[in-house]
Short mmCIF file of all heavy atoms in Angstrom, two decimals:
data_model
loop_
_atom_site.label_atom_id
_atom_site.label_comp_id
_atom_site.label_asym_id
_atom_site.label_seq_id
_atom_site.Cartn_x
_atom_site.Cartn_y
_atom_site.Cartn_z
N VAL A 5 111.53 96.74 71.90
CA VAL A 5 111.22 95.73 70.90
C VAL A 5 109.70 95.68 70.74
O VAL A 5 108.97 95.80 71.72
CB VAL A 5 111.78 94.34 71.29
CG1 VAL A 5 111.21 93.86 72.62
CG2 VAL A 5 111.52 93.31 70.20
N SER A 6 109.24 95.57 69.50
CA SER A 6 107.81 95.44 69.23
C SER A 6 107.50 94.00 68.87
O SER A 6 108.23 93.38 68.09
CB SER A 6 107.39 96.36 68.09
OG SER A 6 107.45 97.72 68.46
N ILE A 7 106.44 93.46 69.46
CA ILE A 7 106.04 92.08 69.20
C ILE A 7 104.66 92.09 68.58
O ILE A 7 103.68 92.49 69.23
CB ILE A 7 106.06 91.24 70.49
CG1 ILE A 7 107.41 91.34 71.19
CG2 ILE A 7 105.73 89.80 70.18
CD1 ILE A 7 107.47 90.62 72.53
N ILE A 8 104.58 91.68 67.32
CA ILE A 8 103.31 91.65 66.59
C ILE A 8 102.63 90.32 66.89
O ILE A 8 103.20 89.25 66.70
CB ILE A 8 103.56 91.79 65.08
CG1 ILE A 8 104.35 93.06 64.77
CG2 ILE A 8 102.23 91.77 64.33
CD1 ILE A 8 103.73 94.33 65.28
N GLY A 9 101.38 90.41 67.37
CA GLY A 9 100.67 89.21 67.77
C GLY A 9 100.98 88.80 69.19
O GLY A 9 100.86 87.63 69.56
N ALA A 10 101.36 89.76 70.03
CA ALA A 10 101.81 89.44 71.39
C ALA A 10 100.68 89.16 72.36
O ALA A 10 100.94 88.84 73.52
CB ALA A 10 102.70 90.55 71.95
N SER A 11 99.43 89.24 71.90
CA SER A 11 98.35 88.76 72.75
C SER A 11 98.25 87.24 72.69
O SER A 11 97.55 86.62 73.48
CB SER A 11 97.01 89.40 72.37
OG SER A 11 96.71 89.15 71.00
N GLY A 12 98.96 86.62 71.74
CA GLY A 12 99.04 85.16 71.64
C GLY A 12 100.09 84.61 72.57
O GLY A 12 100.87 85.35 73.19
N ALA A 13 100.16 83.28 72.65
CA ALA A 13 100.98 82.62 73.67
C ALA A 13 102.47 82.89 73.49
O ALA A 13 103.17 83.27 74.45
CB ALA A 13 100.71 81.12 73.65
N LEU A 14 103.01 82.70 72.29
CA LEU A 14 104.45 82.89 72.09
C LEU A 14 104.84 84.35 72.29
O LEU A 14 105.80 84.67 72.99
CB LEU A 14 104.86 82.43 70.69
CG LEU A 14 106.33 82.67 70.34
CD1 LEU A 14 107.27 81.91 71.28
CD2 LEU A 14 106.61 82.30 68.88
N GLY A 15 104.08 85.24 71.66
CA GLY A 15 104.40 86.66 71.78
C GLY A 15 104.32 87.15 73.21
O GLY A 15 105.18 87.92 73.66
N PHE A 16 103.31 86.70 73.95
CA PHE A 16 103.17 87.13 75.34
C PHE A 16 104.32 86.58 76.19
O PHE A 16 104.87 87.29 77.04
CB PHE A 16 101.83 86.67 75.92
CG PHE A 16 101.60 87.18 77.32
CD1 PHE A 16 101.18 88.48 77.53
CD2 PHE A 16 101.82 86.37 78.42
CE1 PHE A 16 100.97 88.96 78.82
CE2 PHE A 16 101.63 86.84 79.71
CZ PHE A 16 101.20 88.14 79.91
N GLY A 17 104.70 85.32 75.95
CA GLY A 17 105.82 84.75 76.69
C GLY A 17 107.10 85.51 76.46
O GLY A 17 107.86 85.79 77.40
N LEU A 18 107.37 85.87 75.21
CA LEU A 18 108.55 86.68 74.91
C LEU A 18 108.45 88.05 75.57
O LEU A 18 109.45 88.57 76.09
CB LEU A 18 108.71 86.84 73.40
CG LEU A 18 109.10 85.58 72.62
CD1 LEU A 18 108.96 85.82 71.13
CD2 LEU A 18 110.53 85.16 72.96
N ALA A 19 107.26 88.63 75.56
CA ALA A 19 107.08 89.96 76.15
C ALA A 19 107.45 89.97 77.63
O ALA A 19 108.19 90.84 78.09
CB ALA A 19 105.63 90.43 75.95
N PRO A 28 112.09 97.54 77.17
CA PRO A 28 110.73 98.04 76.93
C PRO A 28 110.07 97.26 75.80
O PRO A 28 110.68 97.04 74.76
CB PRO A 28 110.96 99.51 76.53
CG PRO A 28 112.32 99.85 77.03
CD PRO A 28 113.11 98.58 76.95
N VAL A 29 108.84 96.84 76.02
CA VAL A 29 108.14 95.99 75.06
C VAL A 29 106.85 96.67 74.60
O VAL A 29 106.05 97.10 75.42
CB VAL A 29 107.81 94.62 75.67
CG1 VAL A 29 107.04 93.76 74.67
CG2 VAL A 29 109.07 93.90 76.13
N VAL A 30 106.67 96.74 73.28
CA VAL A 30 105.41 97.18 72.71
C VAL A 30 104.65 95.93 72.28
O VAL A 30 105.11 95.17 71.43
CB VAL A 30 105.62 98.11 71.51
CG1 VAL A 30 104.26 98.59 70.98
CG2 VAL A 30 106.50 99.29 71.88
N ILE A 31 103.52 95.70 72.90
CA ILE A 31 102.70 94.52 72.63
C ILE A 31 101.68 94.87 71.57
O ILE A 31 100.82 95.73 71.76
CB ILE A 31 102.01 94.05 73.93
CG1 ILE A 31 103.04 93.46 74.89
CG2 ILE A 31 100.90 93.05 73.63
CD1 ILE A 31 102.47 93.00 76.21
N GLY A 32 101.80 94.20 70.41
CA GLY A 32 100.89 94.46 69.31
C GLY A 32 99.82 93.39 69.19
O GLY A 32 100.05 92.22 69.47
N SER A 33 98.64 93.82 68.74
CA SER A 33 97.54 92.91 68.45
C SER A 33 96.69 93.53 67.35
O SER A 33 96.79 94.73 67.09
CB SER A 33 96.70 92.67 69.71
OG SER A 33 95.59 91.81 69.43
N ARG A 34 95.87 92.71 66.69
CA ARG A 34 94.99 93.26 65.66
C ARG A 34 94.01 94.26 66.27
O ARG A 34 93.53 95.16 65.59
CB ARG A 34 94.23 92.13 64.96
CG ARG A 34 95.07 91.34 63.98
CD ARG A 34 94.27 90.21 63.35
NE ARG A 34 93.87 89.21 64.32
CZ ARG A 34 93.18 88.12 64.03
NH1 ARG A 34 92.81 87.90 62.79
NH2 ARG A 34 92.86 87.25 64.97
N ASP A 35 93.70 94.08 67.54
CA ASP A 35 92.76 94.94 68.25
C ASP A 35 93.49 95.68 69.36
O ASP A 35 94.13 95.05 70.21
CB ASP A 35 91.62 94.09 68.82
CG ASP A 35 90.62 94.92 69.59
OD1 ASP A 35 89.80 95.60 68.96
OD2 ASP A 35 90.68 94.90 70.85
N ALA A 36 93.42 96.99 69.37
CA ALA A 36 94.15 97.79 70.36
C ALA A 36 93.72 97.45 71.78
O ALA A 36 94.54 97.45 72.71
CB ALA A 36 93.96 99.28 70.08
N ALA A 37 92.43 97.16 71.98
CA ALA A 37 91.95 96.83 73.32
C ALA A 37 92.56 95.52 73.81
O ALA A 37 92.93 95.39 74.98
CB ALA A 37 90.42 96.74 73.32
N ARG A 38 92.66 94.55 72.91
CA ARG A 38 93.30 93.28 73.29
C ARG A 38 94.78 93.49 73.60
O ARG A 38 95.33 92.85 74.50
CB ARG A 38 93.14 92.26 72.16
CG ARG A 38 91.76 91.65 72.04
CD ARG A 38 91.77 90.50 71.06
NE ARG A 38 92.59 89.38 71.54
CZ ARG A 38 93.02 88.39 70.77
NH1 ARG A 38 92.74 88.39 69.49
NH2 ARG A 38 93.73 87.42 71.29
N ALA A 39 95.41 94.36 72.85
CA ALA A 39 96.82 94.65 73.11
C ALA A 39 97.00 95.27 74.49
O ALA A 39 97.92 94.89 75.24
CB ALA A 39 97.37 95.58 72.03
N GLU A 40 96.14 96.19 74.85
CA GLU A 40 96.26 96.83 76.16
C GLU A 40 95.94 95.84 77.27
O GLU A 40 96.57 95.86 78.34
CB GLU A 40 95.33 98.03 76.24
CG GLU A 40 95.41 98.78 77.57
CD GLU A 40 96.83 99.17 77.97
OE1 GLU A 40 97.62 99.56 77.08
OE2 GLU A 40 97.15 99.05 79.18
N GLU A 41 94.98 94.94 77.03
CA GLU A 41 94.67 93.91 78.03
C GLU A 41 95.88 93.01 78.25
O GLU A 41 96.20 92.64 79.38
CB GLU A 41 93.46 93.09 77.56
CG GLU A 41 92.97 92.05 78.56
CD GLU A 41 93.69 90.71 78.42
OE1 GLU A 41 94.14 90.40 77.31
OE2 GLU A 41 93.81 89.98 79.44
N ALA A 42 96.56 92.65 77.16
CA ALA A 42 97.77 91.82 77.28
C ALA A 42 98.87 92.59 78.00
O ALA A 42 99.62 92.02 78.80
CB ALA A 42 98.24 91.38 75.90
N ALA A 43 98.98 93.88 77.75
CA ALA A 43 99.98 94.70 78.44
C ALA A 43 99.68 94.75 79.93
O ALA A 43 100.61 94.70 80.77
CB ALA A 43 100.01 96.11 77.85
N GLU A 44 98.42 94.82 80.29
CA GLU A 44 98.04 94.80 81.71
C GLU A 44 98.41 93.48 82.35
O GLU A 44 98.91 93.44 83.49
CB GLU A 44 96.54 95.07 81.86
CG GLU A 44 96.13 96.49 81.54
CD GLU A 44 94.64 96.71 81.68
OE1 GLU A 44 93.94 95.77 82.14
OE2 GLU A 44 94.16 97.80 81.33
N ARG A 45 98.19 92.37 81.65
CA ARG A 45 98.58 91.07 82.18
C ARG A 45 100.09 90.98 82.34
O ARG A 45 100.59 90.41 83.32
CB ARG A 45 98.10 89.95 81.25
CG ARG A 45 96.61 89.67 81.31
CD ARG A 45 96.27 88.35 80.61
NE ARG A 45 96.42 88.44 79.17
CZ ARG A 45 97.18 87.66 78.43
NH1 ARG A 45 97.92 86.70 79.00
NH2 ARG A 45 97.24 87.80 77.12
N ALA A 46 100.82 91.56 81.38
CA ALA A 46 102.27 91.55 81.47
C ALA A 46 102.75 92.37 82.67
O ALA A 46 103.68 91.96 83.38
CB ALA A 46 102.87 92.09 80.17
N ASP A 54 108.31 97.45 81.48
CA ASP A 54 107.80 98.57 80.70
C ASP A 54 107.04 98.00 79.51
O ASP A 54 107.64 97.57 78.52
CB ASP A 54 108.97 99.45 80.23
CG ASP A 54 108.53 100.66 79.43
OD1 ASP A 54 107.34 100.75 79.07
OD2 ASP A 54 109.39 101.52 79.14
N PHE A 55 105.71 97.98 79.60
CA PHE A 55 104.87 97.37 78.58
C PHE A 55 103.86 98.40 78.05
O PHE A 55 103.22 99.09 78.84
CB PHE A 55 104.10 96.18 79.13
CG PHE A 55 104.98 95.10 79.71
CD1 PHE A 55 105.17 95.00 81.09
CD2 PHE A 55 105.62 94.19 78.89
CE1 PHE A 55 105.97 94.02 81.64
CE2 PHE A 55 106.43 93.20 79.43
CZ PHE A 55 106.61 93.12 80.80
N THR A 56 103.72 98.43 76.74
CA THR A 56 102.75 99.30 76.08
C THR A 56 101.94 98.46 75.11
O THR A 56 102.49 97.65 74.37
CB THR A 56 103.46 100.43 75.30
OG1 THR A 56 104.31 101.14 76.17
CG2 THR A 56 102.44 101.37 74.69
N GLY A 57 100.63 98.65 75.11
CA GLY A 57 99.78 97.95 74.16
C GLY A 57 99.42 98.84 72.99
O GLY A 57 99.19 100.04 73.16
N ALA A 58 99.40 98.27 71.79
CA ALA A 58 99.08 99.05 70.59
C ALA A 58 98.56 98.13 69.49
O ALA A 58 98.88 96.94 69.47
CB ALA A 58 100.31 99.81 70.09
N GLU A 59 97.78 98.69 68.59
CA GLU A 59 97.36 97.95 67.40
C GLU A 59 98.61 97.62 66.59
O GLU A 59 99.61 98.35 66.62
CB GLU A 59 96.37 98.80 66.60
CG GLU A 59 95.71 98.09 65.45
CD GLU A 59 96.52 98.21 64.18
OE1 GLU A 59 97.24 99.21 64.03
OE2 GLU A 59 96.44 97.30 63.33
N ASN A 60 98.58 96.49 65.87
CA ASN A 60 99.79 95.98 65.22
C ASN A 60 100.53 97.03 64.38
O ASN A 60 101.76 97.14 64.46
CB ASN A 60 99.45 94.78 64.34
CG ASN A 60 99.31 93.48 65.11
OD1 ASN A 60 99.88 93.33 66.20
ND2 ASN A 60 98.55 92.54 64.58
N ALA A 61 99.80 97.77 63.55
CA ALA A 61 100.46 98.74 62.67
C ALA A 61 101.16 99.83 63.47
O ALA A 61 102.27 100.25 63.13
CB ALA A 61 99.45 99.35 61.70
N ASP A 62 100.55 100.26 64.55
CA ASP A 62 101.17 101.26 65.43
C ASP A 62 102.39 100.65 66.12
O ASP A 62 103.46 101.27 66.18
CB ASP A 62 100.13 101.73 66.46
CG ASP A 62 100.65 102.85 67.34
OD1 ASP A 62 101.69 103.44 67.03
OD2 ASP A 62 100.00 103.13 68.36
N ALA A 63 102.24 99.43 66.61
CA ALA A 63 103.35 98.77 67.31
C ALA A 63 104.56 98.63 66.40
O ALA A 63 105.70 98.78 66.84
CB ALA A 63 102.91 97.41 67.83
N ALA A 64 104.32 98.34 65.13
CA ALA A 64 105.43 98.09 64.19
C ALA A 64 106.27 99.33 63.93
O ALA A 64 107.40 99.21 63.45
CB ALA A 64 104.88 97.54 62.88
N THR A 65 105.76 100.51 64.25
CA THR A 65 106.51 101.74 64.00
C THR A 65 107.39 102.12 65.19
O THR A 65 108.20 103.05 65.07
CB THR A 65 105.56 102.92 63.71
OG1 THR A 65 104.81 103.25 64.90
CG2 THR A 65 104.59 102.58 62.58
N ARG A 66 107.25 101.44 66.31
CA ARG A 66 107.84 101.93 67.56
C ARG A 66 109.18 101.31 67.94
O ARG A 66 109.71 101.61 69.01
CB ARG A 66 106.85 101.70 68.71
CG ARG A 66 105.53 102.43 68.53
CD ARG A 66 104.80 102.53 69.83
NE ARG A 66 103.43 102.99 69.70
CZ ARG A 66 102.65 103.26 70.73
NH1 ARG A 66 103.09 103.08 71.98
NH2 ARG A 66 101.42 103.67 70.54
N ALA A 67 109.73 100.45 67.09
CA ALA A 67 111.01 99.81 67.42
C ALA A 67 111.77 99.47 66.15
O ALA A 67 111.18 99.32 65.08
CB ALA A 67 110.78 98.54 68.26
N VAL A 69 113.54 96.70 65.98
CA VAL A 69 113.38 95.25 65.87
C VAL A 69 111.92 94.91 66.11
O VAL A 69 111.36 95.24 67.16
CB VAL A 69 114.28 94.49 66.87
CG1 VAL A 69 114.02 92.98 66.77
CG2 VAL A 69 115.75 94.79 66.59
N VAL A 70 111.30 94.27 65.13
CA VAL A 70 109.90 93.89 65.20
C VAL A 70 109.82 92.37 65.12
O VAL A 70 110.38 91.76 64.19
CB VAL A 70 109.10 94.52 64.03
CG1 VAL A 70 107.64 94.08 64.07
CG2 VAL A 70 109.21 96.03 64.07
N VAL A 71 109.17 91.74 66.08
CA VAL A 71 109.09 90.28 66.16
C VAL A 71 107.68 89.84 65.75
O VAL A 71 106.70 90.28 66.36
CB VAL A 71 109.43 89.77 67.57
CG1 VAL A 71 109.45 88.25 67.60
CG2 VAL A 71 110.78 90.33 68.03
N LEU A 72 107.60 89.02 64.72
CA LEU A 72 106.31 88.55 64.22
C LEU A 72 106.00 87.19 64.83
O LEU A 72 106.70 86.21 64.57
CB LEU A 72 106.36 88.45 62.69
CG LEU A 72 105.07 88.04 61.99
CD1 LEU A 72 104.01 89.13 62.15
CD2 LEU A 72 105.32 87.75 60.52
N THR A 73 104.93 87.12 65.63
CA THR A 73 104.62 85.88 66.36
C THR A 73 103.21 85.38 66.07
O THR A 73 102.58 84.76 66.91
CB THR A 73 104.78 86.09 67.89
OG1 THR A 73 103.83 87.06 68.34
CG2 THR A 73 106.18 86.56 68.24
N VAL A 74 102.72 85.64 64.87
CA VAL A 74 101.37 85.19 64.51
C VAL A 74 101.44 83.78 63.91
O VAL A 74 102.49 83.36 63.42
CB VAL A 74 100.71 86.15 63.50
CG1 VAL A 74 100.59 87.54 64.10
CG2 VAL A 74 101.48 86.19 62.18
N PRO A 75 100.34 83.04 63.93
CA PRO A 75 100.32 81.72 63.26
C PRO A 75 100.54 81.87 61.76
O PRO A 75 100.28 82.93 61.17
CB PRO A 75 98.91 81.19 63.57
CG PRO A 75 98.42 81.99 64.74
CD PRO A 75 99.06 83.33 64.61
N THR A 82 98.90 89.61 57.86
CA THR A 82 99.52 90.54 58.79
C THR A 82 100.60 91.36 58.11
O THR A 82 100.67 92.59 58.26
CB THR A 82 100.12 89.79 59.99
OG1 THR A 82 99.09 89.04 60.65
CG2 THR A 82 100.75 90.76 60.98
N LEU A 86 101.01 95.45 57.32
CA LEU A 86 102.14 96.21 57.86
C LEU A 86 103.01 96.83 56.76
O LEU A 86 103.95 97.57 57.07
CB LEU A 86 103.01 95.32 58.74
CG LEU A 86 102.38 94.72 59.99
CD1 LEU A 86 103.39 93.86 60.74
CD2 LEU A 86 101.84 95.83 60.91
#
Side-chain angles (χ1 to χ4, degrees):
V5 60
S6 291
I7 306 176
I8 304 304
S11 57
L14 176 62
F16 184 79
L18 290 169
V29 178
V30 182
I31 290 178
S33 178
R34 285 178 295 181
D35 179 76
R38 285 189 65 196
E40 181 52 39
E41 184 272 332
E44 290 179 6
R45 286 193 289 124
D54 181 350
F55 302 100
T56 304
E59 188 271 332
N60 279 335
D62 185 13
T65 67
R66 299 197 190 186
V69 176
V70 178
V71 184
L72 183 67
T73 64
V74 300
T82 302
L86 297 180

